[in-house]
Every structure is written in structure tokens, then in C-alpha cells.
Amino acid sequence: MRFVPVLAAVTMAFMAGGCATIVNGKTQEVPIATIPPGATVCIDSSQTVITPASVNLRRNKDYILTVMKDGYHPQTVQITGVLSGWLAGNLLFGGIIGGGIDAATGAGFTLTPDKIAITMVPLAPGQAAAPVPTGPLSLDDRDRLADQMKADGMLDEKQHTAVKKKIEEERKKAAAKG
């Protein structure tokens, strides 16, 4: 008879833990590659890596990557944390506590795109590289960047829609603040 309370306690621990937290974790590994290799990638003006590289990023955050290499045009890539299907499944089967844990820890999100592959564009002879943007991009810049990433094949239709929806939500929040 002691087995039933132990089983109930173990079941509750798993439900409270958050399914996506257990399956996904709080971070996501994102591989970054460039042609040619050896480009410097600055992530949110704080972390720098040289390609090819993989970085672990928090799932519930958006990132701006600036990719630079001498003799090539700098490029900017946006990575957006969008709600994962794991969060909805956890809310249905794990309850509000598990879903809340997944949302709070970021495990209920997935980063889009999930891998970065960039072909660097060489500068023309004597041409200077355009200045690299510093600081956060405006919502309009992020909107244009999402469209360009879709056109370049870096985002599929579903990913593009999720990013555009998130940008629109941020526009509504900014308008409500006045």
C-alpha cells in the first residue's frame, strides 16, 4: 500500500517540473556557419564567436547577430524565441504549474531560425563596408529583416509568421504604453 503514495508523489514531481523544461532545457544550441569561414559573429553586442561555431542561447529571448569579415559586407540576422508546441502539450497534460514553469524558465520556447548559414558578400574593389548597426534594432528594422530572411530562405513560412506575429505584439505593447 505504500507504493501508491510514492507513485503519486513521483507523478506530481514530474507534472510540476514542466515537460518542456525536462525535454528541451532552458537553452538551445544554435550552429552558425559562414562561407567563407572565419567570420566574427557578435551576438547582441555582448558575446563574440568565430565561425564555424555553436552557441547556447536562452530560449525565451530574441537575439540580433552581426556577422563581419574583412573584405565582406556585414550582415545582420535576427533569432526570435517563439512558443513551442511543448508548452501547449504541457498545459494540456501537465497542468498550469508545469506550463508556468516552462514559460518562466524559457523551456516552452524555441529559437527561430534554429541554425544560421550565411554566404558572405564580398566588397567591390575599393568599396568600404557599410557601418554596422549598434544597439537594438527598431521594430521596423526587425520587420524588414524578417522579410529578408524569408526571401533568403533562412526562415520558412511558419517561422516567418511566428516572428512577424511577435513583432506585431511588441508594436501593440509599445502603442499601449503611449
Side-chain angles (χ1 to χ4, degrees):
M1 278 312 237
R2 295 187 68 205
F3 179 72
V4 174
V6 171
L7 181 61
V10 169
T11 302
M12 289 302 290
F14 274 110
M15 287 176 62
C19 186
T21 303
I22 294 166
V23 174
N24 289 336
K26 299 174 187 177
T27 62
Q28 180 176 329
E29 186 174 341
V30 178
I32 306 169
T34 58
I35 299 174
T40 300
V41 180
C42 187
I43 303 165
D44 283 347
S45 302
S46 62
Q47 181 182 0
T48 304
V49 296
I50 305 297
T51 63
S54 283
V55 293
N56 281 315
L57 302 173
R58 292 195 59 81
R59 293 175 170 275
N60 61 343
K61 188 175 180 300
D62 295 343
Y63 299 90
I64 301 295
L65 282 61
T66 305
V67 184
M68 301 167 285
K69 184 170 177 68
D70 287 340
Y72 293 86
H73 289 280
Q75 296 189 41
T76 305
V77 176
Q78 176 181 349
I79 299 177
T80 303
V82 295
L83 286 177
S84 166
W86 283 106
L87 183 61
N90 195 24
L91 285 171
L92 288 173
F93 300 108
I96 293 175
I97 295 172
I101 289 171
D102 287 346
T105 63
F109 292 82
T110 188
L111 295 173
T112 301
D114 60 353
K115 56 184 154 269
I116 308 297
I118 296 174
T119 301
M120 303 296 293
V121 178
L123 295 169
Q127 182 183 23
V132 176
T134 58
L137 296 177
S138 70
L139 291 174
D140 288 339
D141 289 339
R142 290 175 58 196
D143 200 24
R144 283 190 291 275
L145 183 58
D147 291 341
Q148 185 62 48
M149 288 173 69
K150 181 182 176 210
D152 291 344
M154 295 178 73
L155 294 177
D156 63 25
E157 185 64 38
K158 183 178 176 183
Q159 294 168 327
H160 181 257
T161 301
V163 169
K164 296 285 267 191
K165 180 179 177 185
K166 189 163 185 174
I167 292 168
E168 189 57 36
E169 289 169 1
E170 290 181 32
R171 276 198 176 104
K172 288 178 183 177
K173 286 180 187 176
K177 288 182 181 178

